[in-house]
Amino acid sequence: MDWQLDVQGVSKRYGETVALEDMSFTVAPGELFGFVGSNGAGKTTTMRIALGVLSADSGQVLLGGRPVDLEIRRRIGYMPEDRGLYPKMKVGQQLAYLAKLHGLGKAEAEEAVVRWTTRLGIADRIDDPVSALSLGNQQRVQLAAALVHDPSVLVLDEPFSGLDPVAVDVMSEVLLEKCAAGVPVVFSSHQLELVERLSHRVGIVSRGHMQAIGTVEELRAGGAAQLVVQAPDAAPGWADALNGVQVLDQADGRTVLRLSAGADDQAVLAAALRTGPVHEFALQRPSLTELFREVVAA
Amino acid sequence: MSSESSRSLPAARAVALVTGRELSTRMRNKVFVLSNAVLLAVIVGGIVLASVLMDSGDPVRVGVVGQAQSLTSPLTTNGEALETPVTAVPVADEQSARTQVSAGDLPVALVAGSGGGYTAITDREVPIELRAVLDSAVRQQAVEAALAAQGVDSEELAAATTDAVVTVDALDPPDPDSGQRTALAYVSVLLLYFQLLTTGISVATGVVEEKTSRVVELLLSTIKPLHLLTGKVLGIGLVGLVQLAAFGVAGLAAALGTGLITVTTTAVGVFAGTLGWYVLGFAFLAVLYAAAGSLVSRQEEVSGTTAPLTILVIGMFLVAQTSVQDPGGTLSSIMSWIPPFSAILMPLRIAAGVTGPVQVVVTVMLMLATTSLFALLAAKIYRRSVLRTGTRVSWKQALGRA
C-alpha cells in the first residue's frame, strides 16, 4: 500500500485566533519532509490534527488516499511536542503497552520492544522506570514509542529538541533509514541546518499558512539572490541606478547587492567593469535560515 | 517487516489493555501491597484481640476449702441457672486459699464458717453476678440441710420444685443477634466509606497523572477517550473490589473463627451486599471523579475539583453513621432511596433486616439509571478536557457547546 500523506486545505480557529489557514502539503512515501516555522506558526496544530488529537474546522488529512480514521491512525508513529510517558512505568512494559495499543499482539510487541531498545541503545534500561533515565535517554524511549509498532508513516514534532549530539546522529540515522524503507516522514525543527541537511523537501509555515514549499535547492533558487562584487575602484553609488538592484552594503570596494527576480546580473557585471577591474563577482543563494527570516518577516 | 494490513483494535481489546495496565501497575506497586498486608494484619489482629477481651464464656474458678467442698454441686447448678458458669476448685487450706487469691490465681475462695455460713475470700470485692451464685448455693445447701433434718427427702423436694420456674413471655422480644447485626452494619459502612473515597480519588489522580505526564496525547492518538476512561475506571474499580473482598474475607474468617460472630448467614449476606453496593457506588462516583480529574493538569489541583465529590462521600458516611443506631428510622428510610446514598445505606438496612427485596431491586435500578446518566455527562466532560493542559478547565467550558 502507498502511504502518501496529504494535508488538504486544513483550517483551525480558536475563537478569533486563526491557528491554521488552508494548510496544504503532501509527503510522498520515502520522503523526509522538514516543517519549519516560528513558535505558534501552526506546525504542532497541523500534526495534532493529522493524529486526530485535535479536530480541524475544515479540510482533511488523507493517508494512502483515505481520510485518517482511528484504524489508519494506528499506522502512524507519533512523537508529540509535549513529550510524555508514564514516569513510574518500566521502559519495556511501557513500550510493549503502547505497541499493543497500536494493534500488535503480545509476542509481536515484545519482540519489537527488544529490537528498538537495542537499536536506540537503551536495551539495558528496559526494567527501569522511565523517570530513572536521563533526559536524553527518556527522549530515546519517546522515539522508541513512536517506532515500536513499526509505523507506515512518521509524524515527529521537534524530535531533535533536547538531544545530545550522539542522539541527534542516532535520530537522523533512524529517520533516513525509515525513509529508505519507503516511509513518509514529517518532522518539525528549529534547527534549520539540520533540516537543510536531512530533508528532501521543506515547508516554511508562518501564521498558520504554508508560505513556501519545495526542495531546499528550489527554495534557495526561488529566494532573492545576493551578488557580491569586489571592484576596488568603484565609486560609492555606482550601482544605484541599475534596474532591479538594491544595494545592501558597500565598503572597501566590496558591494553586496540584492537582485530582485528577473533582474539581469550581466548588466550588473557590465556596470561593474565600467568602474575598473572586478576581482570577484559571485551569486550567493540564501541559506535556509535566511529564507526563513525572509518568509517570517514578510 | 511492516505488515500492510491496517491494525485493528476492537473496543473491547482497547478497554482490556487499559484495564490490564491499571491492574498490573497498581497490584505490583510495593506501597500498595505492603499497606494492604498491614491493613489485613490489623483487621485480623483487631478481631482476635476483641474476641479475647470480650470472652466471658469460661467458667469462673471458685476455690472451696475443706468442708466448703460440699458446695461443689450447688455452685455448678446455680451458676448455670444464673448464666454465670462456675467451677469449684478444691483448695487444701485457708492459708493457701489466701495466697492464691492474692496472687490472682483465684478470684474468690470459700471457707466454711459456723452455722452453715461461709466466708468468701477475695482481693477487693465479689462481682454482683458471682455474689448471687454464691448466695443462692449457700442458701440452697442450708435449706436442704434443714429440710433433711425434718425428714424431707431431698430428691422428692427437687422433683416437686422442678416446674416452679418463671417463663418470660415478651410482647416485643429483643433480637438476640441485634448486637452482631449492628456491628456488621457498622463495619460495612466503614469499609464502604473508606473504599469509595480512596478508589474515587485514585481515579481522579490517575486521570491527572496521564495529563501531567502528557502521555495522554500519545494514548489518544491510538484509542478513543471513552475507551481510555472506561478501562481506567474498570481497572481501579477491580483493584478496589479485590481489596474490599480481601478485607471482608479476612475479617469474616477471623470473626467466625474466634466465635465473635455467630450469625454466619447474616454475615455472609452483609458481605455480599457490601461488595455489590460497592460496585454500584463506585461506578456512580468514579466517572464523576474522572471528569473532575480531567479538568486540571497538576496533582495539586485535584483536591480542588474533586472537593464537591469528596463532600458528597463524607455526607453519605455521616448519614450512614447516624443510621447505624436506627436503621429503620426516618432518615435512613428516606435517604436510602436516593442515589448514591443507597450505596452505603442499603447494605446497612439489609444487615439490620429492615428492608425487603422490593426496595433492593428498585434502589439498584435507580442507581444504575443515574449512573448511566452521569457517565454520559462525565464522558463528555472528560473528552473535552483531557487534552487541555495548562490552566484549569471550568465546568462551564467542559460542558459548554465549545
Side-chain angles (χ1 to χ4, degrees):
Chain A
M1 187 162 173
D2 177 4
W3 291 100
Q4 173 163 299
L5 176 71
D6 286 298
V7 175
Q8 298 182 337
V10 172
S11 298
K12 175 80 183 172
R13 282 168 180 277
Y14 293 105
E16 291 297 299
T17 322
V18 178
L20 285 183
E21 175 101 62
D22 194 25
M23 169 65 69
S24 300
F25 62 94
T26 294
V27 186
E31 187 173 70
L32 196 55
F33 184 82
F35 211 21
V36 301
S38 16
N39 291 328
K43 305 183 298 287
T44 297
T45 306
T46 307
M47 292 190 179
R48 295 182 87 184
I49 287 173
L51 264 294
V53 204
L54 206 64
S55 57
D57 294 339
S58 60
Q60 59 175 351
V61 179
L62 306 179
L63 201 51
R66 284 163 61 189
V68 177
D69 58 14
L70 199 60
E71 202 162 292
I72 294 186
R73 211 183 294 147
R74 295 205 177 98
R75 305 289 325 192
I76 307 179
Y78 180 41
M79 196 162 173
E81 181 194 36
D82 292 335
R83 303 286 190 262
L85 295 163
Y86 290 105
K88 286 177 199 155
M89 204 172 170
K90 288 176 183 171
V91 171
Q93 279 172 10
Q94 179 141 230
L95 291 173
Y97 174 62
L98 290 170
K100 284 184 268 185
L101 281 185
H102 281 88
L104 264 63
K106 191 170 183 287
E108 229 182 331
E110 276 161 10
E111 185 268 329
V113 168
V114 172
R115 181 153 42 89
W116 279 109
T117 48
T118 309
R119 175 79 174 81
L120 296 173
I122 42 174
D124 55 333
R125 309 305 300 269
I126 225 166
D127 286 324
D128 289 329
V130 172
S131 58
L133 271 58
S134 67
L135 275 180
N137 277 340
Q138 290 188 18
Q139 290 281 58
R140 293 178 192 221
V141 179
Q142 195 81 48
L143 179 63
L147 293 166
V148 75
H149 54 287
D150 200 4
S152 307
V153 181
L154 279 179
V155 177
L156 311 172
D157 204 347
E158 297 284 345
F160 293 101
S161 81
L163 290 189
D164 61 63
V166 178
V168 167
D169 291 345
V170 175
M171 177 75 78
S172 314
E173 255 174 55
V174 171
L175 296 194
L176 290 169
E177 186 182 292
K178 286 309 254 184
C179 256
V183 169
V185 179
V186 187
F187 77 103
S188 67
S189 182
H190 287 306
Q191 288 152 275
L192 298 175
E193 297 75 21
L194 206 60
V195 176
E196 195 166 353
R197 180 157 61 80
L198 287 175
S199 312
H200 301 125
R201 284 169 72 237
V202 174
I204 303 178
V205 57
S206 172
R207 289 183 289 274
H209 194 72
M210 188 65 89
Q211 304 291 351
I213 188 165
T215 64
V216 174
E217 291 317 308
E218 283 166 1
L219 289 177
R220 293 182 62 183
Q226 286 186 4
L227 268 181
V228 176
V229 183
Q230 184 77 40
D233 299 337
W238 67 272
D240 287 355
L242 294 167
N243 266 341
V245 171
Q246 184 194 352
V247 179
L248 297 178
D249 187 33
Q250 185 173 20
D252 303 332
R254 182 183 161 88
T255 311
V256 182
L257 305 163
R258 173 180 284 157
L259 286 186
S260 51
D264 183 4
D265 56 355
Q266 295 309 307
V268 179
L269 179 58
L273 283 169
R274 283 197 290 276
T275 69
V278 173
H279 297 303
E280 188 187 344
F281 183 83
L283 189 64
Q284 283 187 345
R285 290 293 174 192
S287 68
L288 188 59
T289 310
E290 283 158 333
L291 280 173
F292 178 73
R293 288 211 185 94
E294 216 171 277
V295 167
V296 170
Chain B
M1 205 44 217
S2 93
S3 56
E4 292 295 318
S5 64
S6 58
R7 305 261 168 73
S8 67
L9 189 72
R13 166 121 171 111
V15 171
L17 281 169
V18 176
T19 302
R21 195 200 81 87
E22 293 294 338
L23 283 178
S24 74
T25 53
R26 281 167 201 276
M27 296 278 201
R28 279 188 213 159
N29 182 305
K30 281 189 194 111
V31 177
F32 177 84
V33 173
L34 214 70
S35 61
N36 277 290
V38 170
L39 270 175
L40 280 175
V42 167
I43 289 174
V44 173
I47 288 169
V48 171
L49 188 68
S51 77
V52 170
L53 292 177
M54 287 168 63
D55 201 355
S56 54
D58 281 348
V60 180
R61 286 150 48 85
V62 174
V64 281
V65 180
Q67 209 195 325
Q69 287 174 16
S70 62
L71 279 171
T72 302
S73 163
L75 274 175
T76 312
T77 51
N78 281 287
E80 274 167 19
L82 294 168
E83 290 180 352
T84 306
V86 165
T87 312
V89 182
V91 180
D93 52 49
E94 190 179 331
Q95 191 48 50
S96 66
R98 286 186 184 278
T99 317
Q100 287 188 45
V101 169
S102 87
D105 292 343
L106 289 172
V108 66
L110 293 174
V111 181
S114 58
Y118 290 86
T119 306
I121 302 165
T122 190
D123 193 32
R124 296 183 77 86
E125 57 185 354
V126 181
I128 189 112
E129 295 87 358
L130 184 58
R131 178 72 193 260
V133 175
L134 301 183
D135 280 344
S136 59
V138 169
R139 193 172 305 119
Q140 186 188 344
Q141 189 184 48
V143 169
E144 280 177 4
L147 287 172
Q150 299 288 324
V152 178
D153 179 34
S154 65
E155 286 190 7
E156 277 175 30
L157 175 71
T161 56
T162 302
D163 293 334
V165 291
V166 176
T167 306
V168 175
D169 178 11
L171 297 177
D172 184 13
D175 180 354
D177 301 331
S178 78
Q180 291 190 29
R181 282 173 181 272
T182 307
L184 283 169
Y186 194 70
V187 169
S188 161
V189 164
L190 267 181
L191 278 178
L192 277 170
Y193 166 67
F194 176 74
Q195 208 60 0
L196 287 176
L197 196 65
T198 53
T199 48
I201 288 174
S202 283
V203 171
T205 53
V207 168
V208 180
E209 181 200 7
E210 281 166 0
K211 279 189 84 172
T212 311
S213 68
R214 318 244 172 170
V215 74
V216 68
E217 187 166 343
L218 206 52
L219 300 176
L220 293 186
S221 69
T222 181
I223 57 170
K224 289 184 180 168
L226 187 64
H227 297 161
L228 181 59
L229 174 65
T230 311
K232 181 169 280 291
V233 166
L234 276 180
I236 295 174
L238 273 173
V239 171
L241 188 65
V242 169
Q243 217 179 352
L244 189 60
F247 292 160
V249 167
L252 266 188
L256 292 171
T258 55
L260 197 64
I261 292 282
T262 51
V263 285
T264 313
T265 321
T266 311
V268 171
V270 171
F271 173 55
T274 305
L275 289 186
W277 283 98
Y278 162 73
V279 171
L280 292 170
F282 172 77
F284 182 98
L285 292 165
V287 288
L288 295 176
Y289 267 106
S294 73
L295 297 176
V296 298
S297 307
R298 293 181 301 148
Q299 296 289 4
E300 304 92 275
E301 295 173 310
V302 178
S303 56
T305 44
T306 57
L309 295 167
T310 304
I311 290 168
L312 176 66
V313 178
I314 293 173
M316 288 163 66
F317 173 65
L318 291 179
V319 171
Q321 204 188 23
T322 314
S323 304
V324 166
Q325 299 308 324
D326 187 13
T330 319
L331 180 73
S332 150
S333 301
I334 293 172
M335 296 305 281
S336 60
W337 289 98
I338 304 172
F341 288 87
S342 342
I344 201 162
L345 288 171
M346 285 306 287
L348 184 158
R349 288 168 65 84
I350 294 168
V354 294
T355 184
V358 174
Q359 197 194 6
V360 174
V361 172
V362 174
T363 49
V364 167
M365 307 272 263
L366 280 174
M367 275 297 286
L368 289 176
T370 47
T371 300
S372 327
L373 207 71
F374 279 116
L376 285 177
L377 197 72
K380 184 176 169 186
I381 295 173
Y382 178 82
R383 199 174 59 237
R384 288 193 168 172
S385 323
V386 76
L387 279 170
R388 294 205 200 173
T389 50
T391 52
R392 183 185 150 171
V393 183
S394 72
W395 290 98
K396 208 172 135 193
Q397 283 173 314
L399 284 167
R401 297 166 55 85

Short mmCIF file of all heavy atoms in Angstrom, two decimals, chain B residues 184-222:
data_model
loop_
_atom_site.label_atom_id
_atom_site.label_comp_id
_atom_site.label_asym_id
_atom_site.label_seq_id
_atom_site.Cartn_x
_atom_site.Cartn_y
_atom_site.Cartn_z
N LEU B 184 -22.00 -5.62 62.36
CA LEU B 184 -21.78 -5.92 60.94
C LEU B 184 -22.10 -4.70 60.07
O LEU B 184 -21.36 -4.35 59.16
CB LEU B 184 -22.64 -7.10 60.50
CG LEU B 184 -22.15 -8.48 60.93
CD1 LEU B 184 -23.23 -9.53 60.68
CD2 LEU B 184 -20.87 -8.85 60.18
N ALA B 185 -23.24 -4.06 60.39
CA ALA B 185 -23.65 -2.89 59.61
C ALA B 185 -22.61 -1.79 59.73
O ALA B 185 -22.26 -1.15 58.74
CB ALA B 185 -25.01 -2.39 60.10
N TYR B 186 -22.10 -1.61 60.93
CA TYR B 186 -21.14 -0.53 61.14
C TYR B 186 -19.86 -0.79 60.36
O TYR B 186 -19.32 0.11 59.71
CB TYR B 186 -20.85 -0.37 62.63
CG TYR B 186 -20.15 0.93 62.92
CD1 TYR B 186 -20.84 2.14 62.79
CD2 TYR B 186 -18.81 0.96 63.28
CE1 TYR B 186 -20.21 3.34 63.01
CE2 TYR B 186 -18.17 2.17 63.50
CZ TYR B 186 -18.87 3.35 63.37
OH TYR B 186 -18.24 4.54 63.58
N VAL B 187 -19.41 -2.05 60.41
CA VAL B 187 -18.19 -2.41 59.67
C VAL B 187 -18.42 -2.21 58.17
O VAL B 187 -17.56 -1.67 57.46
CB VAL B 187 -17.80 -3.88 59.97
CG1 VAL B 187 -16.71 -4.33 59.03
CG2 VAL B 187 -17.35 -4.00 61.41
N SER B 188 -19.59 -2.60 57.70
CA SER B 188 -19.91 -2.45 56.29
C SER B 188 -19.87 -0.97 55.87
O SER B 188 -19.29 -0.61 54.84
CB SER B 188 -21.28 -3.05 56.02
OG SER B 188 -21.82 -2.56 54.82
N VAL B 189 -20.45 -0.11 56.70
CA VAL B 189 -20.47 1.33 56.41
C VAL B 189 -19.05 1.89 56.36
O VAL B 189 -18.66 2.61 55.45
CB VAL B 189 -21.30 2.08 57.47
CG1 VAL B 189 -21.03 3.58 57.42
CG2 VAL B 189 -22.78 1.81 57.27
N LEU B 190 -18.25 1.50 57.35
CA LEU B 190 -16.88 1.99 57.41
C LEU B 190 -16.09 1.57 56.18
O LEU B 190 -15.40 2.37 55.56
CB LEU B 190 -16.19 1.42 58.66
CG LEU B 190 -16.23 2.26 59.91
CD1 LEU B 190 -15.47 1.56 61.03
CD2 LEU B 190 -15.62 3.64 59.66
N LEU B 191 -16.21 0.27 55.84
CA LEU B 191 -15.47 -0.24 54.69
C LEU B 191 -15.90 0.45 53.40
O LEU B 191 -15.06 0.85 52.58
CB LEU B 191 -15.69 -1.75 54.54
CG LEU B 191 -14.83 -2.65 55.41
CD1 LEU B 191 -15.20 -4.11 55.18
CD2 LEU B 191 -13.34 -2.46 55.09
N LEU B 192 -17.21 0.61 53.22
CA LEU B 192 -17.70 1.25 52.00
C LEU B 192 -17.21 2.69 51.91
O LEU B 192 -16.77 3.14 50.85
CB LEU B 192 -19.23 1.22 51.98
CG LEU B 192 -19.85 -0.07 51.46
CD1 LEU B 192 -21.34 -0.08 51.70
CD2 LEU B 192 -19.57 -0.21 49.96
N TYR B 193 -17.28 3.40 53.01
CA TYR B 193 -16.84 4.79 53.01
C TYR B 193 -15.37 4.89 52.63
O TYR B 193 -14.99 5.62 51.72
CB TYR B 193 -17.08 5.38 54.41
CG TYR B 193 -16.37 6.69 54.65
CD1 TYR B 193 -16.73 7.83 53.95
CD2 TYR B 193 -15.33 6.79 55.58
CE1 TYR B 193 -16.08 9.03 54.16
CE2 TYR B 193 -14.68 7.98 55.81
CZ TYR B 193 -15.06 9.10 55.09
OH TYR B 193 -14.41 10.28 55.30
N PHE B 194 -14.57 4.11 53.31
CA PHE B 194 -13.13 4.11 53.08
C PHE B 194 -12.82 3.76 51.63
O PHE B 194 -12.05 4.44 50.94
CB PHE B 194 -12.49 3.08 54.03
CG PHE B 194 -11.02 2.89 53.85
CD1 PHE B 194 -10.12 3.85 54.28
CD2 PHE B 194 -10.53 1.74 53.24
CE1 PHE B 194 -8.76 3.67 54.11
CE2 PHE B 194 -9.16 1.56 53.07
CZ PHE B 194 -8.28 2.53 53.51
N GLN B 195 -13.47 2.72 51.15
CA GLN B 195 -13.17 2.21 49.82
C GLN B 195 -13.67 3.14 48.71
O GLN B 195 -12.98 3.37 47.73
CB GLN B 195 -13.79 0.81 49.70
CG GLN B 195 -13.08 -0.11 48.75
CD GLN B 195 -11.63 -0.36 49.14
OE1 GLN B 195 -11.14 0.15 50.14
NE2 GLN B 195 -10.94 -1.12 48.33
N LEU B 196 -14.87 3.69 48.89
CA LEU B 196 -15.42 4.60 47.86
C LEU B 196 -14.57 5.86 47.77
O LEU B 196 -14.28 6.34 46.69
CB LEU B 196 -16.87 4.97 48.19
CG LEU B 196 -17.90 3.85 47.97
CD1 LEU B 196 -19.27 4.32 48.41
CD2 LEU B 196 -17.93 3.43 46.51
N LEU B 197 -14.16 6.36 48.91
CA LEU B 197 -13.37 7.59 48.92
C LEU B 197 -12.00 7.36 48.29
O LEU B 197 -11.57 8.10 47.41
CB LEU B 197 -13.21 8.08 50.36
CG LEU B 197 -12.74 9.53 50.51
CD1 LEU B 197 -13.79 10.48 49.94
CD2 LEU B 197 -12.48 9.86 51.97
N THR B 198 -11.31 6.29 48.72
CA THR B 198 -9.94 6.09 48.21
C THR B 198 -9.95 5.71 46.72
O THR B 198 -9.13 6.22 45.97
CB THR B 198 -9.19 5.02 49.01
OG1 THR B 198 -9.99 3.84 49.05
CG2 THR B 198 -8.88 5.48 50.40
N THR B 199 -10.88 4.86 46.30
CA THR B 199 -10.85 4.49 44.89
C THR B 199 -11.30 5.65 44.01
O THR B 199 -10.76 5.85 42.92
CB THR B 199 -11.72 3.25 44.59
OG1 THR B 199 -12.99 3.44 45.19
CG2 THR B 199 -11.10 1.99 45.14
N GLY B 200 -12.25 6.44 44.50
CA GLY B 200 -12.68 7.61 43.73
C GLY B 200 -11.51 8.55 43.50
O GLY B 200 -11.25 8.98 42.37
N ILE B 201 -10.77 8.83 44.55
CA ILE B 201 -9.62 9.73 44.43
C ILE B 201 -8.54 9.10 43.54
O ILE B 201 -7.89 9.79 42.76
CB ILE B 201 -9.11 10.13 45.82
CG1 ILE B 201 -10.14 11.10 46.43
CG2 ILE B 201 -7.74 10.79 45.76
CD1 ILE B 201 -9.90 11.50 47.85
N SER B 202 -8.40 7.78 43.62
CA SER B 202 -7.45 7.10 42.73
C SER B 202 -7.79 7.35 41.27
O SER B 202 -6.89 7.55 40.45
CB SER B 202 -7.49 5.58 42.95
OG SER B 202 -6.82 5.24 44.11
N VAL B 203 -9.07 7.32 40.95
CA VAL B 203 -9.47 7.56 39.57
C VAL B 203 -9.08 8.97 39.14
O VAL B 203 -8.47 9.18 38.09
CB VAL B 203 -10.99 7.34 39.38
CG1 VAL B 203 -11.45 7.80 38.01
CG2 VAL B 203 -11.36 5.88 39.59
N ALA B 204 -9.40 9.94 39.99
CA ALA B 204 -9.09 11.34 39.65
C ALA B 204 -7.58 11.54 39.49
O ALA B 204 -7.13 12.12 38.50
CB ALA B 204 -9.64 12.27 40.72
N THR B 205 -6.79 11.02 40.43
CA THR B 205 -5.34 11.23 40.32
C THR B 205 -4.78 10.44 39.14
O THR B 205 -3.83 10.88 38.51
CB THR B 205 -4.61 10.84 41.61
OG1 THR B 205 -4.99 9.52 41.96
CG2 THR B 205 -4.92 11.76 42.75
N GLY B 206 -5.38 9.30 38.84
CA GLY B 206 -4.93 8.52 37.68
C GLY B 206 -5.14 9.28 36.38
O GLY B 206 -4.28 9.27 35.49
N VAL B 207 -6.27 9.98 36.28
CA VAL B 207 -6.55 10.78 35.09
C VAL B 207 -5.55 11.93 35.00
O VAL B 207 -4.98 12.21 33.95
CB VAL B 207 -8.00 11.31 35.12
CG1 VAL B 207 -8.22 12.36 34.06
CG2 VAL B 207 -8.98 10.16 34.93
N VAL B 208 -5.34 12.60 36.13
CA VAL B 208 -4.42 13.74 36.14
C VAL B 208 -2.98 13.28 35.85
O VAL B 208 -2.24 13.96 35.15
CB VAL B 208 -4.48 14.48 37.49
CG1 VAL B 208 -3.52 15.66 37.48
CG2 VAL B 208 -5.87 14.96 37.75
N GLU B 209 -2.63 12.09 36.35
CA GLU B 209 -1.29 11.56 36.10
C GLU B 209 -1.02 11.51 34.60
O GLU B 209 0.06 11.88 34.13
CB GLU B 209 -1.18 10.15 36.70
CG GLU B 209 0.19 9.52 36.51
CD GLU B 209 0.15 7.99 36.64
OE1 GLU B 209 -0.95 7.42 36.75
OE2 GLU B 209 1.23 7.40 36.62
N GLU B 210 -2.01 11.07 33.84
CA GLU B 210 -1.83 10.98 32.39
C GLU B 210 -1.77 12.36 31.75
O GLU B 210 -1.11 12.54 30.72
CB GLU B 210 -2.96 10.14 31.77
CG GLU B 210 -2.71 8.66 31.97
CD GLU B 210 -3.91 7.78 31.70
OE1 GLU B 210 -4.98 8.32 31.34
OE2 GLU B 210 -3.78 6.56 31.85
N LYS B 211 -2.45 13.33 32.36
CA LYS B 211 -2.36 14.69 31.82
C LYS B 211 -1.02 15.33 32.19
O LYS B 211 -0.38 15.95 31.36
CB LYS B 211 -3.50 15.56 32.36
CG LYS B 211 -4.81 15.37 31.65
CD LYS B 211 -5.83 16.41 32.08
CE LYS B 211 -5.68 17.72 31.31
NZ LYS B 211 -6.81 18.66 31.62
N THR B 212 -0.64 15.17 33.45
CA THR B 212 0.61 15.77 33.91
C THR B 212 1.79 15.23 33.12
O THR B 212 2.66 15.97 32.70
CB THR B 212 0.83 15.45 35.41
OG1 THR B 212 -0.35 15.76 36.10
CG2 THR B 212 1.97 16.25 35.98
N SER B 213 1.82 13.91 32.94
CA SER B 213 2.96 13.31 32.24
C SER B 213 2.79 13.48 30.73
O SER B 213 3.69 13.15 29.98
CB SER B 213 3.05 11.83 32.58
OG SER B 213 1.96 11.14 32.05
N ARG B 214 1.66 13.97 30.29
CA ARG B 214 1.37 14.24 28.89
C ARG B 214 1.30 12.98 28.04
O ARG B 214 1.32 13.05 26.81
CB ARG B 214 2.41 15.17 28.27
CG ARG B 214 2.80 16.30 29.19
CD ARG B 214 2.41 17.60 28.59
NE ARG B 214 2.62 18.69 29.52
CZ ARG B 214 2.54 19.94 29.18
NH1 ARG B 214 2.26 20.25 27.95
NH2 ARG B 214 2.69 20.89 30.06
N VAL B 215 1.26 11.83 28.69
CA VAL B 215 1.21 10.59 27.92
C VAL B 215 -0.15 10.47 27.25
O VAL B 215 -0.32 9.75 26.27
CB VAL B 215 1.50 9.38 28.85
CG1 VAL B 215 0.34 9.07 29.76
CG2 VAL B 215 1.86 8.16 28.02
N VAL B 216 -1.12 11.26 27.73
CA VAL B 216 -2.49 11.12 27.23
C VAL B 216 -2.57 11.42 25.73
O VAL B 216 -3.35 10.80 25.01
CB VAL B 216 -3.45 12.02 28.06
CG1 VAL B 216 -3.19 13.48 27.84
CG2 VAL B 216 -4.88 11.68 27.76
N GLU B 217 -1.72 12.35 25.25
CA GLU B 217 -1.79 12.68 23.82
C GLU B 217 -1.37 11.48 22.97
O GLU B 217 -1.95 11.20 21.92
CB GLU B 217 -0.90 13.88 23.52
CG GLU B 217 -1.06 14.36 22.10
CD GLU B 217 -0.47 15.74 21.85
OE1 GLU B 217 -0.21 16.47 22.82
OE2 GLU B 217 -0.27 16.06 20.67
N LEU B 218 -0.36 10.77 23.46
CA LEU B 218 0.11 9.58 22.76
C LEU B 218 -0.98 8.50 22.78
O LEU B 218 -1.24 7.83 21.78
CB LEU B 218 1.37 9.08 23.47
CG LEU B 218 2.38 8.28 22.66
CD1 LEU B 218 2.76 9.01 21.39
CD2 LEU B 218 3.62 8.02 23.51
N LEU B 219 -1.63 8.35 23.93
CA LEU B 219 -2.67 7.33 24.07
C LEU B 219 -3.85 7.64 23.16
O LEU B 219 -4.39 6.77 22.49
CB LEU B 219 -3.15 7.26 25.52
CG LEU B 219 -2.10 6.91 26.57
CD1 LEU B 219 -2.71 6.97 27.96
CD2 LEU B 219 -1.53 5.53 26.31
N LEU B 220 -4.24 8.92 23.14
CA LEU B 220 -5.44 9.28 22.39
C LEU B 220 -5.17 9.37 20.90
O LEU B 220 -6.09 9.57 20.11
CB LEU B 220 -6.02 10.60 22.91
CG LEU B 220 -6.59 10.50 24.33
CD1 LEU B 220 -7.28 11.78 24.73
CD2 LEU B 220 -7.56 9.33 24.45
N SER B 221 -3.90 9.21 20.48
CA SER B 221 -3.65 9.13 19.04
C SER B 221 -3.92 7.71 18.55
O SER B 221 -3.90 7.44 17.37
CB SER B 221 -2.22 9.55 18.72
OG SER B 221 -1.30 8.61 19.19
N THR B 222 -4.18 6.78 19.48
CA THR B 222 -4.46 5.41 19.04
C THR B 222 -5.74 4.80 19.62
O THR B 222 -6.27 3.85 19.07
CB THR B 222 -3.24 4.49 19.33
OG1 THR B 222 -3.53 3.18 18.88
CG2 THR B 222 -2.92 4.45 20.80
#
